[in-house]
Amino acid sequence: MQADSLPSYSKPSLAPAASVILIIDDNPKSIKALSLLVRDFGEVLFATSGAAGIAMAMKSKPDLILLDVEMPGMNGYEVCRQLKADLSTRGSGIIIVTSHSSVEHEVEALEAGAADFITKPLNAPLVRARVKTQLLVKKQADALQRLAEQDGLTGIYNRRYFDEQVAQEWRRHQRQRSPLGLALVDVDYFKAYNDEYGHQDGDECLRSVAQCLTLALRRPGEQVARYGGEEFVIILPYTDNVELLKIGPWLCEQVRNLKIPHAKSAVAQWVTISAGLASGIPSIQSGPDHLLGLADKALYQAKANGRNQFVVAEKNLE
Ligand SMILES: [Mg+2]
């Protein structure tokens, strides 16, 4: 596959999306009544059993789940506990809906991990107020989460987020015995750039390179993060050395094409990058640091060879 013919895909947006509400209730009439009350808050999904609800929550990651307690099979409390125990669903807020209005039931709901409690028969203004509150809580939590993952200067993902993602990808690729690729990118003669143009322009340069690398990625799951200083790191899922040999020059070319003047560069009149790339099938014995080490050595080699170029690590993970 040629680098310039990689399939395009829509970039994951950092902006908050519209709310998604999932109603889990065995009674279609209850689902209808609830959805009429909350449908103007966002998209409403529904499931008529605990098991189907959990499956749907995993797939659609709703902001809020309205969960009936009295259901055949798994009751609402159990569904709630399972949703809160699973990493992929624990982020959804849960409001328990039940016809039992007693302190004990309310306590059980909260202990199971629910954020709030609504009793039947439904009181329309109360339901709407509680749903609105929980959606707001979720939005604030999401905003905090994004801030925690973001690099303040460039707006792309930060090192902390990268560390979490690469550990996750490592395990996933290990399970699937697939090659995971990494690229370490360094802006050439960046200190000289700062000295020549000043720190404000230096910051602007880093923002431009960060955006350029983000836009250069074409395949789902590829993620670029600021690794520190003028270094960036890119996670390349399902990528072997053959692909790296195409991605390396593609990245270098994209940054060169920005044509950011760099009078103090010894290798070009524009801002350029050096890139070190490595790939391998993760093993149980080692961790992502092993792959990062290989990419780092390759980057060192690219710099030693004269910068404005890439090197793919020849040695793979053992
Ligand atoms: Mg029921």
Side-chain angles (χ1 to χ4, degrees), residues 53-237:
I54 290 172
M56 186 162 277
M58 284 177 170
K59 203 173 119 214
S60 55
K61 311 257 184 295
D63 297 290
L64 183 62
I65 299 172
L66 300 176
L67 179 56
D68 180 34
V69 171
E70 295 83 19
M71 294 187 287
M74 210 186 312
N75 76 23
Y77 300 126
E78 182 52 31
V79 174
C80 189
R81 277 188 282 273
Q82 288 200 20
L83 288 168
K84 285 296 159 183
D86 192 297
L87 210 60
S88 70
T89 53
R90 71 193 315 170
S92 301
I94 298 175
I95 298 180
I96 290 272
V97 185
T98 174
S99 46
H100 295 289
S101 61
S102 72
V103 173
E104 289 75 24
H105 283 93
E106 195 158 348
V107 167
E108 183 163 11
L110 296 175
E111 279 181 354
D116 208 346
F117 186 85
I118 295 174
T119 50
K120 294 180 193 173
L122 301 171
N123 174 304
L126 193 68
V127 169
R128 287 180 55 80
R130 296 207 149 153
V131 165
K132 200 170 161 186
T133 300
Q134 290 310 320
L135 287 175
L136 190 63
V137 167
K138 178 62 165 48
K139 278 215 162 31
Q140 288 166 341
D142 286 351
L144 277 177
Q145 180 71 25
R146 277 194 303 279
L147 270 182
E149 294 172 347
Q150 214 173 29
D151 171 53
L153 179 70
T154 61
I156 63 173
Y157 290 121
N158 58 22
R159 172 77 174 266
R160 185 163 95 179
Y161 178 80
F162 165 77
D163 287 340
E164 283 172 14
Q165 284 303 113
V166 77
Q168 209 172 308
E169 290 297 334
W170 182 270
R171 289 191 293 272
R172 190 158 70 100
H173 285 71
Q174 183 195 305
R175 280 197 301 273
Q176 301 176 0
R177 303 190 192 290
S178 302
L180 174 65
L182 281 184
L184 268 179
V185 168
D186 194 82
V187 180
D188 294 326
Y189 300 105
F190 185 68
K191 191 184 173 303
Y193 186 94
N194 261 338
D195 292 344
E196 174 73 7
Y197 300 99
H199 283 275
Q200 274 193 342
D201 283 12
D203 288 353
E204 194 48 52
C205 171
L206 290 179
R207 275 193 283 270
S208 299
V209 172
Q211 197 196 10
C212 174
L213 293 174
T214 304
L215 292 173
L217 303 180
R218 298 290 180 86
R219 298 177 309 170
E222 293 179 340
Q223 292 178 306
V224 56
R226 184 155 175 235
Y227 196 60
E230 69 270 26
E231 255 185 20
F232 299 93
V233 64
I234 305 171
I235 301 177
L236 301 160

